Amino acid sequence: MTWSSPLALLREAVRGQRERERDLRTLASNLPHEGLHRGRQPNRYFPGNAIKTTKYSLLLFIPMNLYEQFHRFANIYFVGLAALNFVPVVNAFEPEVALIPICVILALTALKDGWEDFRRFQSDRKLNRTPCLIYRRKDKQFVVQCWKDIRVGDFVKVVSNEIVPADLLLLHTSDPGGVCLVETANLDGETNLKQRKVVSGLATLTSPCEPELFNSMVVCEKPNSNLNHFKGFVETTEKKKLGIGIDSLLLRGSTVRNTEHTVGFVVYAGCETKSMLNSSGPRYKRSKLEHKLNYNIVYCIILLCIMCLIGALGHFIWLQSLPSAPPYLVPDSHGQHIPPPLSGFYTFFTMIILLQIFIPISLYVSVELVKIGQILFITNDIDLYDEDSDSRVQCRALNITEDLGQIQHIFSDKTGTLTENKMVFRRCTIMGTEYSHNENAIRLAIRKESDMDEDVIFHQQTQPAQTGWTLDTEEADFGTSPQSQQRRKADGNDGGDMAFSSLLETEVVPDRKLLQRIERREGGSGAAMRSSSGSPEATHHADFFLALAICNTVLVSKATAPKRRANQRSSDSVSSLPLKAFSNLLGKITSLRHIIASWQPMSNEPSSVAQDAEENLDMDHNNVLSSDNNVFGDHSTSGGQTRGLGANVCYEAESPDEAALVYAAKAYGFTLLARTHDSVTVRLPHDKVLTYEVLDTLPFDPNRKSMSVLVRHPVTRELVLYTKGADYAIMELLGTPYAENRLGNQKTIAASTQRHIDWYAKEGLRTLCIAKKVLSEKQYSEWSLVRREAMVAIDNKEQLLMDTSVQLETNLTLIGATGVEDRLQESVPETIQALREAGIQVWVLTGDKTETAVNIAYSCRLVDERDLVINMSSKCKLTCASTLDCALEEVRRSSGDPLAAEKGFPGLAFTLVIDGGTLAMALESDLRDRFVELAGHCRSVLCCRVTPLQKSAVVRIVREKLQVMTLAVGDGANDVNMIQAADVGIGISGQEGMQAVMASDFAISRFKHLKKLLLVHGHWCYSRLSNMVIYYFYKNVAYVNLLFWYQFYCGFTGTTMIDYWLLIFFNLFFTSLPPLMFGVMDRDASAELLLAVPKLYRTGQGAADHKFSFWITILDAFYQSLVCFFIPYWTYQSSDIDLFSFGSLMNTISLFTILLHLSIEIQTWTVVHWVIMLGSVALYFIVTLAYNALCITCNPPSNPYWMLQEQMADPVFYLVCIITTVVALLPRYTFHVLRNTLAPSPLRRARPLDWSNPSTKEHWIKERGSFRSSGEVKLHGPSPTLAADHGLSETTSSPPPPPPSPRASSDITGSDVAVNVIGRSARNPL
């Protein structure tokens, strides 16, 4: 080992810091330098792969932990007072005794922190010792070593189903196409497989893998936490630059799937890996109640200073009034007494020490313990458990549980939050012709109704798995065998553990008319094989479904992959269909006429659904009931081995939209068979297999709103660009025939397609446009040069890549569009209605079209049929300003209309619908206040076509301008900004991964869980914690004031009449558990009542009476302390009772008074309450009696021997305890009686329902729930007397009349602008 000078070490450390902070770092292979000194290693400045998440070390634990704890002001305050007590001139207690309370608090906190850190140490050690394969030059092979031995520049081999140990640049895979499939569930929660590919153009690592041949340099960006972004390039020995991105990076924590082995080059290790940079502990937010608590602490400090000033002034006056110094005042060493002014100054600090528990020392610790108990109850609530996903609610932020009870605004995403995010292919339009897919609508309607009817079970002989449709073979499969035929839920969640693979999503019944055209053209001309010959109509139809199958990122994997469970179907013989089931099915099919009839795009369309339905309804009716017609099963034509291959493939999609479109293409015979980084294989109808060369993929971009795939046709060798995207984005990219000067049939196609898209959106369907473009070789070669330059760029790489995508996606040819349905989640309408009754304003922020959002809003009862909908859409800022002014004028006039108030309408209910462009202008500084005011008058707000940044901006502005408590709920990565901007963020662990969950404070699996989480647990948490905090202040103030009143009789000298040890034990042990029990288990109303009467939630909103309750409680504490002091004082005034016996009596009285005060506040008594309350009293007497019997000289010069025993033998002791306690609590009890009698709160009026018998209570809840679901505001109590007596009868015999006619105007007009106001129906503007 060589010696290095300190200067050299310092210079090396500075150089290493500079290397790590550079924007670009150059990495080389470690193999040529293996075995050399660390100073000669090329990557020596970068950290190793060992991780350390612990905060402390064994030697520095105590000082570091104390440093952490002293960040809390309360700890500094109490340690300072304990140190001040060591000053002889100001001490009030024995210095050692005064240290006990703060030492106990610090020790308990240190033990908790130490245990948590030890758990982290164990986890780190286990992870660092995980085995892996690292290539070593001296062994000429991969050897088994630990994760901690990996260094940047090493070559690591990862086999199938193993976790990647570091961030690796993929150089070799066992797959001939250089592709590796990984699962990133440990990073972002997404279970679908993602494709990673070997660095394109790097031919050094051939099979077998030889890392020693790698002589290139890797240049990459410095580490960052973005899991979806990576940029750099590989510079070969020939100075050729090969661009690398996230598609070539294996992230630490991801798992290799369906790939035998991979080899990668380590670019980031240890704490610099992306997964470690994203690792963080529980989120810490300061709750609103904590802010109020800090203010209360300040008020108590002010009161404490006032009392100390009174003590100092009183001591000065007392000394001045004495003719001479009394003998018990000890002079200093020079025989001089302290002057009265200086003595009064010292007394000020003595009083601070004496009255220090005026500030509750254990309040912060108690609040943390209560919150842990509340979280335990929330996470173990069976009603918040989702059986389908096997997940429960997660509390990721441990200190804002009480904020759940104060929410005033909820901001929600739509897709995946209000809806299932399970996309079902419903309709499509190709070259201006609309295909209604009536058969598929019938299948979905039957599945939905049969899922809701538990008695209908279909028994039918199962058929072999099939993949396509023809007109000749249509075999029915109404169900599976009895062994596997269990009742399916409406979401169709029965597709194993693959993402987006339920039967609801994968089964598509083709449209008969469209299938006939494809079968006829395919059989006649083979147009799908040729893109430039044959029937043009057939070419367009083939291109449409080829685009659905090719233009995506869907991966194809084997059905027997280790990741998945085999989803087998039993082939047991089953009985025939029962007569009852047949009759029910017949009735359901007959009832579908109105469903089919309602699906008509427009009355003047020849191919509308209405005409198709009338022509084919009887035929469809018979086909559905026929045993030869396959409705529910997987369908296919007859085929050979290729068709069998298509039946066994499994699709791994990154989004449910892509999965739905791929399954739709498969239903028409265009089956995606395989995908690599440079090819995609599709099986066409009649078993024709084509392998397209993938030249480039332009991934989806939120700015472009589109995705494209550039392929080479295997037969014609044409270069074809298939593009799909949002309708408004694709329509702007159409070529000259489709632009403003388009003519003839081409113009009609675009107009018809746009008309179909608009109708799809009004019906709540998600729409995508499909287009194509044929490129010449020259165009492609010129574009590819620009694309390669953008790929190897480091600076501004994203913008350059987007520019190349925009350059290529021009002059497109429109093929058609799709309509995909995203169903509402279970109980969403009921949840939103309950939240609105609770006084919570619900906003929906979505990127969907306005028509889609409005349709969903009506479906989920966010918008009522009686609401007036203000639809704002402006192209310029001036129009936006005029629109806001007109809308505000109308809203203000309607809100203050006396005619409406006389008729029972205090104001009309408004709903605001605004698009993204208008919202951007409305959020500018000069219009922001007007927009917020308008939104504040609206009951619901829908923001459509908004970006993630706009979502967070809306949340932030509303929270700051209106000063309200906000909650944001979402399920995708685009909701992260919104979730983090709100006071409370809730993530839904749905189909789009776990990005929203990881950024949230709470995580749920269903939107319906929000109802109980807020209305029940939120209400309980806030009421419990706020009452416990106020009680803590009361307890300490009432007890410490006993010492203050005694100062008036001892010359304000700072002496106490209560034994020091009992004084400490009183707050530390005797009265510590009851408040904790009160904060964790008290319940002012049952969960059933809170859910049945959501208006009870409003008691926590705003919480304006918190400050009033605090000051009333403080005054009550002063009064009770006066009673507890002066009644015993007057009783024993002329007796010979000693000082500490008098203090022991007051200690006992205070215990009874404080505990009985809590008994008055407790709303619900359980066995736990009785045990803790009686146990606290028993503990007091046991400890005090034992202390008086055993501790004779514990506190010299006092002698507590047998003190309480003698008092308990005196009947006066019991009489004084009873009278004093009653007199002290009489005002509090009287106040509660009068308030609950004369002005009862809504909670108090509702509580008799909890006390009523269970059958009456259940009847009332069911009756009220039926009225709420029907949209009426009718609140019937269990009996007329009960409802009338307790204020729960807000009864109206009929629904409210329509709004007053003067306000039902068609438009809000003003200065050249009209705001569309939609009246009783979203589809019929007034």
Side-chain angles (χ1 to χ4, degrees):
M1 181 177 179
T2 59
W3 179 85
S4 300
S5 66
L7 184 60
L9 294 176
L10 179 62
R11 185 165 53 250
E12 189 72 7
V14 172
R15 188 178 303 164
Q17 184 69 20
R18 291 177 178 173
E19 287 291 329
R20 288 188 293 271
E21 292 179 353
R22 291 179 59 185
D23 292 335
L24 294 178
R25 54 176 58 176
T26 302
L27 310 177
S29 170
N30 290 333
L31 296 181
H33 310 275
E34 186 176 314
L36 300 180
H37 183 261
R38 178 175 174 80
R40 301 180 63 183
Q41 296 287 337
N43 307 307
R44 60 185 180 276
Y45 299 121
F46 309 121
N49 202 45
I51 61 170
K52 179 179 179 294
T53 61
T54 56
K55 295 172 60 177
Y56 310 107
S57 62
L58 187 61
L59 295 177
L60 300 177
F61 172 74
I62 293 179
M64 291 182 64
N65 185 260
L66 289 177
Y67 175 76
E68 290 285 338
Q69 293 197 53
F70 285 153
H71 279 74
R72 180 170 288 174
F73 174 75
N75 290 337
I76 299 178
Y77 168 77
F78 287 108
V79 169
L81 292 182
L84 189 63
N85 201 50
F86 279 87
V87 180
V89 293
V90 297
N91 67 341
F93 306 110
E94 289 293 331
E96 296 80 7
V97 177
L99 282 174
I100 292 178
I102 187 60
C103 288
V104 170
I105 298 298
L106 294 177
L108 290 176
T109 306
L111 286 176
K112 177 182 72 70
D113 294 342
W115 173 250
E116 292 176 353
D117 208 57
F118 179 70
R119 296 285 299 273
R120 286 192 289 264
F121 167 76
Q122 289 181 317
S123 177
D124 292 346
R125 183 173 59 180
K126 180 179 179 180
L127 202 60
N128 290 331
R129 294 181 178 180
T130 304
C132 64
L133 295 173
I134 308 176
Y135 190 87
R136 295 304 181 199
R137 188 179 63 173
K138 63 178 181 179
D139 298 307
K140 300 296 183 180
Q141 63 180 355
F142 289 94
V143 298
V144 178
Q145 290 188 287
C146 298
W147 278 23
K148 64 180 180 180
D149 299 324
I150 296 176
R151 297 291 183 270
V152 173
D154 285 345
F155 293 87
V156 177
K157 183 177 183 179
V158 185
V159 300
S160 180
N161 296 327
E162 276 192 357
I163 298 177
V164 179
D167 289 352
L168 307 179
L169 183 65
L170 188 59
L171 300 180
H172 173 83
T173 73
S174 57
D175 183 80
V179 173
C180 169
L181 300 181
V182 296
E183 179 188 276
T184 59
N186 294 333
L187 303 178
D188 54 18
E190 296 185 8
T191 56
N192 53 289
L193 299 183
K194 295 181 175 63
Q195 180 176 278
R196 297 292 182 260
K197 58 184 180 180
V198 174
V199 178
S200 178
L202 192 64
T204 306
L205 294 180
T206 57
S207 183
C209 178
E210 297 183 9
E212 295 185 34
L213 300 180
F214 185 83
N215 298 318
S216 304
M217 306 295 291
V218 178
V219 180
C220 60
E221 61 183 348
K222 68 179 181 180
N224 59 72
S225 60
N226 193 337
L227 295 174
N228 302 312
H229 174 80
F230 174 71
K231 59 183 180 181
F233 59 86
V234 176
E235 187 174 1
T236 63
T237 53
E238 295 83 9
K239 301 301 179 180
K240 182 180 179 181
K241 294 182 178 180
L242 307 175
I244 54 178
I246 193 64
D247 56 348
S248 298
L249 189 68
L250 302 182
L251 299 180
R252 175 186 173 122
S254 58
T255 305
V256 175
R257 300 291 190 189
N258 300 352
T259 308
E260 183 178 344
H261 69 266
T262 63
V263 176
F265 177 84
V266 180
V267 291
Y268 305 129
C271 60
E272 289 188 341
T273 57
K274 290 182 178 292
S275 63
M276 292 300 298
L277 293 176
N278 277 278
S279 299
S280 60
R283 293 171 51 81
Y284 184 84
K285 286 184 177 180
R286 300 187 66 182
S287 66
K288 191 174 182 179
L289 186 63
E290 190 173 345
H291 287 284
K292 296 177 181 178
L293 174 61
N294 293 334
Y295 282 113
N296 293 342
I297 292 287
V298 173
Y299 297 148
C300 287
I301 291 175
I302 294 174
L303 287 176
L304 177 62
C305 292
I306 293 174
M307 295 168 66
C308 293
L309 284 174
I310 293 175
L313 183 61
H315 185 66
F316 169 75
I317 296 174
W318 178 71
L319 288 179
Q320 288 287 83
S321 64
L322 295 177
S324 61
Y328 50 80
L329 293 180
V330 182
D332 58 15
S333 58
H334 301 288
Q336 300 293 327
H337 288 279
I338 301 176
L342 184 59
S343 181
F345 176 75
Y346 290 154
T347 302
F348 178 84
F349 295 100
T350 302
M351 292 293 292
I352 288 181
I353 298 173
L354 179 67
L355 306 178
Q356 61 178 300
I357 57 174
F358 200 92
I359 312 298
I361 185 174
S362 58
L363 177 58
Y364 287 101
V365 177
S366 299
V367 167
E368 289 183 1
L369 293 176
V370 166
K371 289 182 179 181
I372 291 175
Q374 292 176 347
I375 289 173
L376 186 65
F377 281 116
I378 293 175
T379 55
N380 287 278
D381 189 343
I382 191 64
D383 292 335
L384 300 182
Y385 169 76
D386 183 59
E387 185 177 1
D388 295 335
S389 60
D390 190 24
S391 60
R392 64 177 70 184
V393 62
Q394 302 175 33
C395 298
R396 300 174 56 83
L398 306 180
N399 55 335
I400 59 171
T401 54
E402 67 274 18
D403 280 349
L404 293 173
Q406 306 174 77
I407 301 302
Q408 296 166 280
H409 278 63
I410 289 180
F411 300 88
S412 173
D413 180 38
K414 184 185 74 68
T415 304
T417 303
L418 300 179
T419 61
E420 289 280 2
N421 204 15
K422 292 185 176 180
M423 305 303 175
V424 182
F425 184 84
R426 293 301 300 265
R427 309 174 77 87
C428 69
T429 173
I430 304 176
M431 300 304 292
T433 302
E434 205 275 336
Y435 299 96
S436 58
H437 288 75
N438 295 336
E439 300 85 351
N440 198 40
I442 294 174
R443 176 188 71 88
L444 295 173
I446 294 176
R447 170 178 286 275
K448 182 177 181 180
E449 293 196 22
S450 63
D451 287 341
M452 291 163 43
D453 186 357
E454 295 186 14
D455 297 331
V456 179
I457 301 178
F458 300 102
H459 300 284
Q460 179 70 26
Q461 180 81 25
T462 58
Q463 303 295 332
Q466 299 170 331
T467 60
W469 274 78
T470 64
L471 297 176
D472 300 328
T473 60
E474 297 179 357
E475 300 177 348
D477 181 14
F478 285 104
T480 59
S481 65
Q483 290 80 0
S484 61
Q485 180 63 44
Q486 298 178 352
R487 177 178 179 267
R488 309 287 191 186
K489 294 193 174 181
D491 57 1
N493 215 359
D494 50 5
D497 52 1
M498 291 176 293
F500 325 123
S501 60
S502 66
L503 291 179
L504 185 68
E505 299 167 283
T506 59
E507 291 180 345
V508 177
V509 180
D511 183 86
R512 186 173 303 276
K513 182 172 62 175
L514 178 58
L515 190 62
Q516 287 176 345
R517 293 183 179 181
I518 293 178
E519 289 289 334
R520 186 184 314 117
R521 300 300 178 180
E522 285 294 318
S525 62
M529 296 285 292
R530 300 176 297 274
S531 62
S532 59
S533 62
S535 170
E537 182 183 4
T539 301
H540 293 313
H541 287 78
D543 280 333
F544 180 81
F545 288 107
L546 280 173
L548 298 188
I550 293 176
C551 188
N552 51 65
T553 59
V554 175
L555 302 180
V556 184
S557 58
K558 299 177 182 177
T560 57
K563 173 179 178 285
R564 304 171 186 81
R565 300 188 297 266
N567 191 15
Q568 299 175 347
R569 303 175 62 137
S570 174
S571 59
D572 298 340
S573 298
V574 294
S575 61
S576 60
L577 187 67
L579 180 60
K580 180 179 179 181
F582 181 85
S583 301
N584 290 339
L585 181 61
L586 183 62
K588 290 173 182 177
I589 299 301
T590 305
S591 66
L592 290 176
R593 288 183 178 268
H594 73 280
I595 298 177
I596 302 301
S598 65
W599 281 78
Q600 41 186 328
M602 43 207 64
S603 58
N604 58 352
E605 180 107 359
S607 61
S608 65
V609 181
Q611 295 179 3
D612 292 339
E614 293 299 329
E615 294 172 0
N616 301 322
L617 184 58
D618 292 334
M619 179 178 62
D620 295 338
H621 177 94
N622 295 328
N623 285 340
V624 170
L625 295 179
S626 172
S627 62
D628 297 331
N629 182 30
N630 191 339
V631 177
F632 294 108
D634 229 11
H635 315 284
S636 72
T637 62
S638 60
Q641 297 179 352
T642 306
R643 188 167 300 281
L645 175 63
N648 294 327
V649 296
C650 298
Y651 294 141
E652 293 282 353
E654 295 187 11
S655 71
D657 300 78
E658 289 190 339
L661 299 182
V662 170
Y663 284 116
K666 181 181 177 183
Y668 284 93
F670 294 81
T671 304
L672 177 65
L673 296 181
R675 180 187 297 275
T676 66
H677 72 282
D678 59 357
S679 68
V680 57
T681 302
V682 181
R683 177 174 57 79
L684 304 181
H686 300 289
D687 299 334
K688 302 167 186 174
V689 178
L690 295 181
T691 299
Y692 291 81
E693 179 187 359
V694 178
L695 302 177
D696 211 328
T697 300
L698 311 181
F700 176 83
D701 182 85
N703 296 318
R704 292 171 27 243
K705 296 290 185 181
S706 61
M707 175 201 175
S708 299
V709 173
L710 181 60
V711 298
R712 186 185 298 275
H713 198 282
V715 177
T716 64
R717 311 305 295 171
E718 283 184 339
L719 301 179
V720 184
L721 179 74
Y722 289 107
T723 302
K724 68 177 181 181
D727 56 328
Y728 64 92
I730 298 298
M731 290 296 183
E732 294 177 355
L733 303 177
L734 298 183
T736 303
Y738 295 94
E740 294 298 329
N741 58 344
R742 55 182 178 236
L743 300 174
N745 187 49
Q746 297 173 339
K747 180 178 180 180
T748 304
I749 291 174
S752 299
T753 303
Q754 184 63 58
R755 188 164 62 251
H756 296 155
I757 290 173
D758 293 339
W759 184 82
Y760 290 173
K762 290 180 181 179
E763 289 299 320
L765 301 183
R766 295 165 60 89
T767 59
L768 281 177
C769 276
I770 310 299
K772 65 173 286 189
K773 177 182 179 180
V774 178
L775 282 76
S776 65
E777 291 289 346
K778 180 180 179 182
Q779 288 176 318
Y780 171 68
S781 60
E782 293 176 352
W783 177 84
S784 61
L785 291 176
V786 181
R787 182 73 173 180
R788 281 195 293 269
E789 292 178 0
M791 289 292 295
V792 299
I794 296 295
D795 297 330
N796 205 23
K797 180 177 181 178
E798 293 79 10
Q799 182 62 40
L800 293 175
L801 289 175
M802 189 178 72
D803 292 342
T804 60
S805 301
V806 171
Q807 177 184 351
L808 191 62
E809 292 173 338
T810 56
N811 298 322
L812 301 179
T813 301
L814 182 64
I815 304 176
T818 61
V820 179
E821 180 185 13
D822 187 8
R823 292 187 171 185
L824 281 178
Q825 290 187 22
E826 180 186 1
S827 302
V828 167
E830 293 80 3
T831 301
I832 290 182
Q833 183 177 356
L835 294 175
R836 292 174 61 172
E837 288 184 25
I840 300 175
Q841 189 175 2
V842 182
W843 292 40
V844 172
L845 312 178
T846 177
D848 283 347
K849 291 172 65 68
T850 301
E851 295 83 356
T852 305
V854 171
N855 184 279
I856 295 296
Y858 275 92
S859 301
C860 66
R861 299 182 191 170
L862 182 67
V863 181
D864 192 81
E865 293 292 338
R866 292 182 293 268
D867 290 355
L868 291 182
V869 180
I870 303 175
N871 195 346
M872 291 183 57
S873 180
S874 305
K875 298 297 183 181
C876 64
K877 188 174 181 180
L878 180 61
T879 306
C880 180
S882 300
T883 303
L884 284 174
D885 292 336
C886 295
L888 270 176
E889 180 183 354
E890 176 68 15
V891 168
R892 291 166 183 166
R893 186 169 64 247
S894 299
S895 300
D897 185 9
L899 181 61
E902 290 177 4
K903 293 185 178 181
F905 289 88
L908 296 179
F910 288 90
T911 294
L912 174 63
V913 180
I914 184 170
D915 60 27
T918 309
L919 180 64
M921 294 181 284
L923 293 181
E924 294 183 8
S925 57
D926 53 337
L927 301 181
R928 185 178 304 165
D929 292 338
R930 280 178 275 181
F931 169 73
V932 172
E933 182 184 355
L934 175 61
H937 283 88
C938 296
R939 188 166 64 169
S940 303
V941 179
L942 277 74
C943 300
C944 312
R945 294 295 194 192
V946 294
T947 64
L949 289 179
Q950 284 181 318
K951 289 184 179 183
S952 61
V954 168
V955 174
R956 191 177 301 108
I957 289 173
V958 171
R959 188 187 65 186
E960 295 173 354
K961 292 291 184 179
L962 298 181
Q963 295 296 308
V964 293
M965 288 290 294
T966 59
L967 180 147
V969 54
D971 73 316
N974 59 334
D975 303 318
V976 169
N977 293 334
M978 175 180 70
I979 288 174
Q980 293 179 337
D983 294 296
V984 178
I986 293 185
I988 293 183
S989 51
Q991 302 267 53
E992 294 189 13
M994 300 290 285
Q995 297 96 325
V997 169
M998 292 189 295
S1000 65
D1001 305 310
F1002 299 89
I1004 57 179
S1005 54
R1006 293 281 177 177
F1007 184 82
K1008 67 177 181 179
H1009 293 161
L1010 200 62
K1011 179 179 177 181
K1012 188 171 186 181
L1013 183 64
L1014 295 184
L1015 303 187
V1016 177
H1017 290 288
H1019 173 81
W1020 281 348
C1021 289
Y1022 174 73
S1023 62
R1024 289 167 174 172
L1025 203 57
S1026 59
N1027 292 332
M1028 189 209 74
V1029 168
I1030 290 179
Y1031 175 77
Y1032 246 103
F1033 283 108
Y1034 150 79
K1035 177 173 71 76
N1036 283 42
V1037 171
Y1039 187 66
V1040 79
N1041 274 351
L1042 298 176
L1043 305 178
F1044 179 71
W1045 303 132
Y1046 178 69
Q1047 301 308 306
F1048 287 88
Y1049 297 93
C1050 68
F1052 298 94
T1053 55
T1055 57
T1056 63
M1057 72 290 192
I1058 303 176
D1059 188 272
Y1060 294 155
W1061 288 101
L1062 295 179
L1063 194 66
I1064 293 172
F1065 290 165
F1066 189 88
N1067 278 314
L1068 205 57
F1069 300 115
F1070 303 150
T1071 60
S1072 59
L1073 284 182
L1076 295 179
M1077 171 269 303
F1078 181 55
V1080 174
M1081 303 192 64
D1082 191 43
R1083 191 176 65 179
D1084 55 3
S1086 66
E1088 295 83 2
L1089 183 60
L1090 292 173
L1091 292 174
V1093 189
K1095 288 184 179 180
L1096 300 179
Y1097 180 82
R1098 302 187 182 188
T1099 56
Q1101 292 176 330
D1105 61 338
H1106 178 83
K1107 185 181 295 185
F1108 175 77
S1109 301
F1110 170 77
W1111 287 112
I1112 290 295
T1113 304
I1114 294 297
L1115 292 177
D1116 190 29
F1118 271 89
Y1119 163 78
Q1120 292 185 20
S1121 64
L1122 282 170
V1123 172
C1124 292
F1125 179 84
F1126 282 102
I1127 289 182
Y1129 175 76
W1130 291 331
T1131 301
Y1132 290 96
Q1133 187 173 12
S1134 58
S1135 67
D1136 59 350
I1137 188 172
D1138 66 277
L1139 178 64
F1140 286 100
S1141 295
F1142 176 68
S1144 179
L1145 172 64
M1146 281 194 293
N1147 216 31
T1148 305
I1149 294 173
S1150 296
L1151 178 75
F1152 285 124
T1153 303
I1154 289 173
L1155 293 182
L1156 288 176
H1157 179 102
L1158 181 60
S1159 301
I1160 295 175
E1161 299 298 327
I1162 291 177
Q1163 304 289 338
T1164 304
W1165 284 86
T1166 63
V1167 176
V1168 178
H1169 290 77
W1170 286 106
V1171 170
I1172 291 180
M1173 296 292 282
L1174 297 178
S1176 297
V1177 175
L1179 179 66
Y1180 169 76
F1181 281 101
I1182 292 173
V1183 172
T1184 304
L1185 290 173
Y1187 174 75
N1188 292 159
L1190 302 176
C1191 192
I1192 301 176
T1193 59
C1194 293
N1195 188 21
S1198 65
N1199 183 5
Y1201 181 72
W1202 221 249
M1203 184 169 57
L1204 184 59
Q1205 286 85 338
E1206 292 179 355
Q1207 286 187 325
M1208 294 180 66
D1210 184 7
V1212 178
F1213 171 82
Y1214 300 99
L1215 185 61
V1216 172
C1217 288
I1218 294 173
I1219 294 176
T1220 305
T1221 303
V1222 171
V1223 174
L1225 296 177
L1226 188 60
R1228 163 71 54 169
Y1229 184 77
T1230 304
F1231 172 75
H1232 277 278
V1233 171
L1234 293 177
R1235 184 183 64 179
N1236 295 335
T1237 303
L1238 301 178
S1241 64
L1243 277 169
R1244 179 56 57 182
R1245 294 198 302 267
R1247 288 212 63 191
L1249 288 172
D1250 277 339
W1251 303 335
S1252 60
N1253 61 75
S1255 60
T1256 303
K1257 177 181 176 181
E1258 183 179 0
H1259 171 73
W1260 183 88
I1261 291 176
K1262 287 184 177 180
E1263 187 180 23
R1264 186 175 188 277
S1266 64
F1267 282 114
R1268 287 173 54 203
S1269 62
S1270 64
E1272 300 181 22
V1273 285
K1274 194 167 183 178
L1275 296 175
H1276 280 299
S1279 65
T1281 304
L1282 182 62
D1285 289 345
H1286 303 291
L1288 295 176
S1289 179
E1290 304 173 14
T1291 309
T1292 57
S1293 58
S1294 61
S1301 56
R1303 299 285 74 84
S1305 57
S1306 61
D1307 291 317
I1308 304 173
T1309 58
S1311 63
D1312 301 328
V1313 63
V1315 183
N1316 182 23
V1317 180
I1318 305 176
R1320 303 291 291 270
S1321 173
R1323 303 165 187 84
N1324 299 311
L1326 291 176

